[in-house]
């Protein structure tokens, strides 16, 4: 059954890491089993030279991470339906093993409720997995696989039936929290998400705050996430908790100013369609260890 599962991969690039992109493509080409079809999306930039057989799409402007990935999805037919599973991989990552695609095929074939798999991200030199890369609150042991409530955007596999049912990533988010938005919609539709420590993407250790827009986007999109997906009584609770956590982390004055600017923008600007999750989904998230108030 697993060998009949068609697997594709979407990689977005700004064209500024050609060597890393080539190494990633080589690691995808070396996967066991049937060939993984690959689409590389140049997000407002030309695509560097790629091996024969790799399809490319060059966008005239940067659509952001979710917008670029959505273009890659559509390159596999409406909602990605030309394949059964799509891998989403950062262009400076590298699949550590040759059997990752086969592990994905088997996981989806064995569990009809499984909709999304989050890979483990590890530093290629130290093997270390940062705490923030384990998508659960109890993140001390990155080698423990489990059901989770969200996933890592640049190291995951998604069953395309999920995308057909709940839609793709929210384009307007541009950067930050787009994965959780999709994860909550998938969970609300009855799908499950797994974190798998044996499916590894090597990626250099970085800090998310390296992005100039980090603090504003994180705050704005956090508000949008709540407004779009949470039952009304939970919206102020969720956002109040995150405001408190942000203050406890004692960011710099400039970072805090950007954060509050984004927080206000999230309330003033359109967030897209509101589809609050069912209360039974709130309970499911709670049982999985992450109630949607944190």
């Amino acid at each position: 059954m697993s060998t009949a599962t068609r697997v594709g991969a979407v990689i977005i690039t700004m064209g500024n890491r050609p060597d890393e992109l080539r190494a990633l493509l080589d690691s995808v080409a070396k996967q066991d089993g049937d060939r993984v079809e690959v689409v590389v999306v140049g997000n407002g930039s030309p695509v560097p030279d790629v091996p024969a057989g790799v399809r490319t799409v060059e966008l005239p402007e940067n659509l952001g991470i979710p917008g670029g990935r959505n273009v890659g999805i559509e390159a596999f037919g409406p909602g990605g339906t030309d394949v059964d599973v799509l891998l989403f991989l950062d262009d400076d990552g590298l699949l550590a093993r040759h059997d990752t695609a086969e592990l994905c095929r088997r996981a989806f074939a064995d569990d009809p409720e499984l909709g999304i798999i989050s890979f483990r991200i590890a530093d290629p030199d130290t093997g270390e997995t940062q705490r923030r890369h384990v998508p659960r609150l109890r993140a001390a042991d990155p080698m423990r696989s489990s059901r989770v409530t969200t996933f890592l955007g640049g190291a995951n596999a998604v069953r395309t039936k999920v995308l057909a049912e709940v839609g793709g990533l929210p384009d307007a988010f541009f950067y930050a929290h787009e994965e959780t938005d999709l994860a909550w919609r998938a969970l609300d539709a009855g799908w499950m998400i797994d974190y798998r420590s044996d499916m590894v993407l090597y990626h250099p250790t970085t800090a998310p705050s390296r992005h100039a827009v980090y603090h504003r986007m994180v705050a704005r999109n956090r508000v949008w996430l709540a407004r779009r997906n949470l039952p009304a009584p939970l919206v102020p609770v969720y956002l109040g908790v995150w405001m408190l956590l942000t203050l406890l982390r004692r960011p710099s004055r400039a970072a805090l100013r950007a954060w509050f600017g984004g927080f206000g923008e999230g309330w003033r600007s359109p967030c897209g369609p509101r589809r609050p999750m069912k209360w039974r989904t709130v309970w499911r998230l709670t049982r999985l260890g992450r109630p949607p108030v944190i």
Side-chain angles (χ1 to χ4, degrees):
M1 181 183 294
S2 64
T3 56
T5 303
R6 301 162 299 171
V7 178
V10 173
I11 301 164
I12 59 173
T13 182
M14 299 291 291
N16 55 350
R17 295 189 281 234
D19 294 339
E20 292 89 340
L21 174 62
R22 189 62 178 245
L24 171 62
L25 292 172
D26 288 345
S27 74
V28 174
K30 292 175 182 176
Q31 290 299 298
D32 299 338
D34 293 341
R35 181 181 175 216
V36 177
E37 300 291 332
V38 181
V39 169
V40 177
V41 178
N43 212 357
S45 67
V47 175
D49 289 339
V50 296
V54 173
R55 288 186 285 159
T56 62
V57 179
E58 294 186 352
L59 302 177
E61 62 178 311
N62 182 356
L63 299 183
I65 294 172
R69 287 184 177 141
N70 283 338
V71 169
I73 292 169
E74 294 303 309
F76 286 96
T81 49
D82 288 350
V83 293
D84 303 299
V85 173
L86 279 174
L87 311 180
F88 295 90
L89 307 170
D90 275 352
D91 69 340
D92 55 345
L94 181 75
L95 290 175
R97 297 168 44 158
H98 293 181
D99 64 348
T100 302
E102 271 296 282
L103 289 172
C104 287
R105 291 184 179 101
R106 292 173 196 159
F108 286 118
D110 291 345
D111 186 351
E113 292 186 340
L114 180 62
I116 302 172
I117 300 172
S118 189
F119 299 170
R120 181 167 65 89
I121 293 179
D123 185 272
D125 298 320
T126 66
E128 179 186 356
T129 295
Q130 292 179 274
R131 186 181 182 90
R132 69 184 181 90
H133 284 152
V134 183
R136 59 177 178 244
L137 291 179
R138 295 180 180 178
D141 181 8
M143 300 307 295
R144 179 172 68 87
S145 299
S146 69
R147 293 285 202 200
V148 290
T149 61
T150 188
F151 63 98
L152 305 174
N156 66 80
V158 179
R159 194 192 296 264
T160 54
K161 285 183 179 178
V162 174
L163 302 172
E165 184 172 349
V166 306
L169 297 157
D171 286 346
F173 278 43
F174 197 84
Y175 165 79
H177 302 319
E178 67 272 6
E179 304 92 351
T180 300
D181 188 89
L182 176 57
W184 283 0
R185 286 182 280 128
L187 288 162
D188 198 47
W191 297 100
M192 301 301 291
I193 305 169
D194 278 357
Y195 166 73
R196 287 282 297 264
S197 64
D198 57 337
M199 301 182 190
V200 181
L201 184 85
Y202 284 146
H203 189 282
T205 299
T206 57
S209 55
R210 72 192 186 278
H211 299 289
V213 297
Y214 172 76
H215 295 287
R216 180 175 70 87
M217 293 288 193
V218 161
R220 184 198 67 180
N221 293 358
R222 183 81 69 185
V223 177
W224 282 358
L225 180 69
R227 290 174 59 198
R228 285 164 58 93
N229 295 287
L230 290 181
L234 294 185
V235 173
V237 179
Y238 177 81
L239 295 176
V241 167
W242 276 104
M243 181 179 290
L244 178 61
L245 287 173
T246 299
L247 294 172
L248 289 174
R249 289 168 179 168
R250 303 181 69 180
S252 68
R253 183 171 296 183
L256 198 59
R257 189 182 306 115
W259 192 93
F260 274 106
F263 190 83
E265 183 184 348
W267 284 107
R268 294 189 303 270
S269 55
C271 65
R274 174 167 165 75
R275 299 187 181 95
M277 66 178 65
K278 308 173 190 73
W279 282 104
R280 70 180 179 217
T281 304
V282 173
W283 177 236
R284 171 185 280 190
L285 288 162
T286 303
R287 286 189 293 110
L288 288 170
R290 190 152 197 164
V293 292
I294 188 169

